[in-house]
Amino acid sequence: MSTLRIEHRTRFTYASEIVSSYNEARLTPAWLPRQRVLDSRVEIDPSTWRTTYRDYWETDVVAFEVLQPHSALTVVGSSIVEVSPVRQRDERVGWTELQGPRFQDLLCEYLGNTPTTEPSEELKQIAEDAAGRLSPELTARAICDVLHDRIGYVPGSTSVHTPATHAWEASSGVCQDFAHLAIGALRHVDIPARYVSGYLHPKRDAEIGESVAGESHAWVEWWTGDWHGFDPTNDREVGDHHVIVGRGREYRDVPPLMGVVAGETSSLDVRVTVTQTA
């Protein structure tokens, strides 16, 4: 079990003074059986009106608007989260049950691809070949193994709006590309898959109390009898260094921060700091 303190700081600087912006922040970790949120808050500068709600995908959202002249906007999400190791269940379903009407209907939201997750023809064939000789669980792992071998992690090589096919063709991407590629291939062979937005403590051997530069991260969960989390970017099982904020069909369902500004942003600075406190 780990206790992690996370600070996610985002600062927008504008080309000229603006007088209105509307934003939504998804920076609050989720309460889950294996994840307890001991403290969480979102601070906004300039101070402004806000409201909170839980969206369709059960992610906590802070919505706010700034209607006063300002040349910069800073949003800081801070939280302390206790995370337990994942207990994997042995119960798995086979292809016949997985592709039957019960789960195809129950999990239909996580079975259809979008323009963002739609896989390339080559990746579709790789997924079909794996599904033809392996169980659903092993097929999912095989797909992630291929992604780890074929795609290079290259920061800045794509944007959050890059379709999975572009990252596949370029053989490079960042965490949301790995997640979108895995999701597209899994759904293509009828394995329900969802996008997970959260944080990763990147340094396994960090000292207790040592603050390190962390990541706003993304990974994938697939369903083969139970939801199973896997981090294809780092080729590892999701564990007690992963903190979940939200889940959805793709990035657009759970962006950390999104909004509309009546002006032009001249610079954006995003920093995530993670400290293991216990």
Side-chain angles (χ1 to χ4, degrees):
M1 177 184 296
S2 297
T3 301
L4 304 175
R5 183 173 66 237
I6 301 162
E7 181 181 276
H8 184 166
R9 177 182 295 270
T10 305
R11 180 174 175 80
F12 299 92
T13 303
Y14 304 117
S16 58
E17 193 172 74
I18 66 171
V19 295
S20 63
S21 70
Y22 174 82
N23 301 274
E24 290 186 343
R26 289 171 172 79
L27 301 172
T28 305
W31 267 92
L32 300 168
R34 56 170 285 269
Q35 180 173 293
R36 291 202 309 150
V37 182
L38 305 181
D39 183 48
S40 183
R41 62 184 182 275
V42 175
E43 298 170 291
I44 303 162
D45 182 31
S47 181
T48 183
W49 167 91
R50 69 172 65 187
T51 187
T52 60
Y53 71 97
R54 184 162 293 177
D55 70 13
Y56 177 81
W57 305 103
E58 299 187 346
T59 304
D60 289 323
V61 183
V62 176
F64 61 95
E65 56 185 7
V66 183
L67 300 177
Q68 58 180 290
H70 58 291
S71 56
L73 173 67
T74 302
V75 183
V76 181
S78 304
S79 54
I80 300 174
V81 188
E82 188 178 80
V83 190
S84 300
V86 178
R87 295 181 179 178
Q88 303 295 346
R89 295 173 57 182
D90 294 331
E91 302 169 25
R92 299 295 173 203
V93 297
W95 290 111
T96 300
E97 189 173 6
L98 190 65
Q99 295 173 339
R102 178 186 175 192
F103 295 121
Q104 290 287 304
D105 180 62
L106 185 66
L107 299 169
C108 63
E109 288 178 320
Y110 300 114
L111 281 164
N113 271 315
T114 69
T116 300
T117 64
E118 183 68 27
S120 67
E121 293 303 318
E122 184 183 16
L123 185 53
K124 287 180 181 177
Q125 189 60 57
I126 290 170
E128 291 173 13
D129 290 345
R133 56 187 170 81
L134 300 171
S135 68
E137 183 69 17
L138 292 178
T139 295
R141 285 300 307 270
I143 289 170
C144 289
D145 288 344
V146 169
L147 296 179
H148 182 69
D149 292 339
R150 292 281 297 272
I151 308 298
Y153 178 77
V154 182
S157 60
T158 61
S159 76
V160 293
H161 304 297
T162 299
T165 50
H166 291 189
W168 177 260
E169 291 165 0
S171 299
S172 64
V174 294
C175 58
Q176 67 260 26
D177 300 307
F178 281 84
H180 286 152
L181 286 165
I183 288 168
L186 290 164
R187 291 176 183 170
H188 178 67
V189 291
D190 294 326
I191 298 175
R194 59 191 182 189
Y195 183 98
V196 186
S197 175
Y199 300 101
L200 169 66
H201 190 314
K203 189 176 178 181
R204 298 190 190 194
D205 59 349
E207 299 287 340
I208 298 297
E210 176 186 359
S211 295
V212 301
E215 302 175 38
S216 175
H217 197 47
W219 57 95
V220 63
E221 291 180 343
W222 63 69
W223 194 92
T224 52
D226 192 12
W227 288 105
H228 182 109
F230 192 82
D231 182 347
T233 306
N234 295 295
D235 192 35
R236 59 187 271 197
E237 303 285 340
V238 168
D240 62 359
H241 277 41
H242 290 79
V243 174
I244 295 173
V245 172
R247 297 155 164 148
R249 294 164 301 180
E250 58 166 273
Y251 169 83
R252 297 183 193 194
D253 289 334
V254 285
L257 195 61
M258 64 179 297
V260 177
V261 178
E264 181 182 354
T265 300
S266 63
S267 67
L268 171 63
D269 183 41
V270 182
R271 299 181 188 183
V272 177
T273 304
V274 183
T275 308
Q276 184 171 353
T277 60

